[in-house]
Structures are given as C-alpha cells and as structure tokens.
Amino acid sequence: MMKPATLANHRPEPTSSISGDVYEALNATTDYLLETVYGPARLTVSNRQVQLAERLAVAILVDHIQLAGISFSIDRDDLPSLAMVQTATLLSRSWLTIAGNARPCASLNLQASESDRMIARTVAFSPYPNRELSDCGYMRNRIAEVASHIQPLDDWRATVRRLGQCAGERFANAADALIAGGAR
C-alpha cells in the first residue's frame, strides 16, 4: 500500500528507541505547528517558517523536561509566526505570553516572509478546515509522554543539545540555534 506524499514519509528515522521517540515527537510537533497556521499549504512555506517550527518544537519538548531560558520575540504584524508561537505556548508546559514593548535579551527573532503571509491569508479563506485547537490536547499529551522518558541534565542547554542529537541534523541545527539565541 502506498503512503500519501507528506514530508514525514520522506524523512529518514533514527534507529534507537529513545531517538526514534524524540524524532517522532519533534517531527509531529513541527508538522502540527505548520499545519495549524497554514493548513493544506504547509508544504509551500519558506524555510524560515519551517526553521521557526523546528525551533519551537525543540523548545516545547525541552520545556516538558525542564525549565529553559529560551524566548521568542515575534512582531505583531507577523501574523503567521505569531499564530505559530501562540500554538506552541498552548503545547508547552510552562511558557508565558508577554505583551508590551519590552524585548527579552538574547531571543530569537524569525519572521515570516511576504509570501508566507500571503499563504496564511489565503488559507484563512480556504474552504478546507485546518486542525482544530482540540488537537492541541492530544499533541501536548504526546509531547509529555515522550518527555517523561527523558531525564533532565544539569544545564538546560545540554538537554536541548541532547534532544537535537537524538533527532538528526535538522533538529540538531534547531537546538544549536536555540542555545546560541536563547541563552542568557
């Protein structure tokens, strides 16, 4: 039986059990974040939006393991990225939403391109339904289940690095970016 063509079907999976669980959780979370914002157009977005989703996925999983000094700063005019971060906040264990002018130091600032914003506007008027927020509970439980099998390390940066290494190169890159950009 042939599987439908999706990003998940084209990604090699790690071999060990915990690595496979971490990879699957990060991959599913990345896809969920992109699908929540872009719906069926999620495969057409720029690499920057995919990187934001990957970084958010790693940050969410590490948040379920231990507190980490990671923050994201999104401009209010960047509605797709803002929606993705708000969804990530719902998936997290302990994140806060902060409003105002103050930008935290050493934060990541990735913005959607104009074409990503156009895709999000088009999807908003699409006849196809995107995932409902009720799926958030399922995703959150799935992330918490994987996180429950991972022991926190002495420093959150080491935990982030270990998660990235377990899940392959693209998540290792996301982990490195979080450590460099989110460290205080």
Side-chain angles (χ1 to χ4, degrees), residues 33-175:
L33 291 168
L34 289 168
E35 186 175 343
T36 299
V37 175
Y38 293 103
R42 71 187 175 283
L43 299 177
T44 66
V45 300
S46 71
N47 194 42
R48 289 189 335 199
Q49 285 299 94
V50 173
Q51 288 175 350
L52 175 59
E54 290 169 351
R55 291 171 186 184
L56 286 167
V58 172
I60 292 165
L61 183 55
V62 79
D63 179 63
H64 279 266
I65 298 168
Q66 71 189 89
L67 292 176
I70 300 170
S71 65
F72 293 85
S73 179
I74 306 296
D75 186 88
R76 71 176 184 86
D77 292 331
D78 189 355
L79 295 179
S81 296
L82 187 59
M84 204 179 317
V85 168
Q86 287 176 334
T87 302
T89 301
L90 294 173
L91 294 175
S92 72
R93 182 179 56 97
S94 65
W95 288 5
L96 302 172
T97 301
I98 300 170
N101 291 342
R103 288 185 174 247
C105 62
S107 64
L108 297 171
N109 189 3
L110 298 173
Q111 295 184 342
S113 66
E114 186 54 40
S115 65
D116 291 330
R117 292 176 192 189
M118 186 179 74
I119 291 167
R121 285 191 300 271
T122 302
V123 169
F125 296 106
S126 172
Y128 304 108
N130 62 354
R131 287 195 180 186
E132 299 296 325
L133 284 179
S134 61
D135 286 350
C136 242
Y138 167 75
M139 284 300 302
R140 189 175 183 178
N141 290 339
R142 186 174 179 183
I143 294 163
E145 171 62 25
V146 171
S148 72
H149 299 287
I150 301 169
Q151 292 298 315
L153 299 176
D154 291 336
D155 181 49
W156 66 266
R157 292 165 192 85
T159 303
V160 169
R161 187 171 291 113
R162 184 175 73 178
L163 292 175
Q165 290 169 345
C166 283
E169 183 179 352
R170 67 191 191 102
F171 290 109
N173 292 339

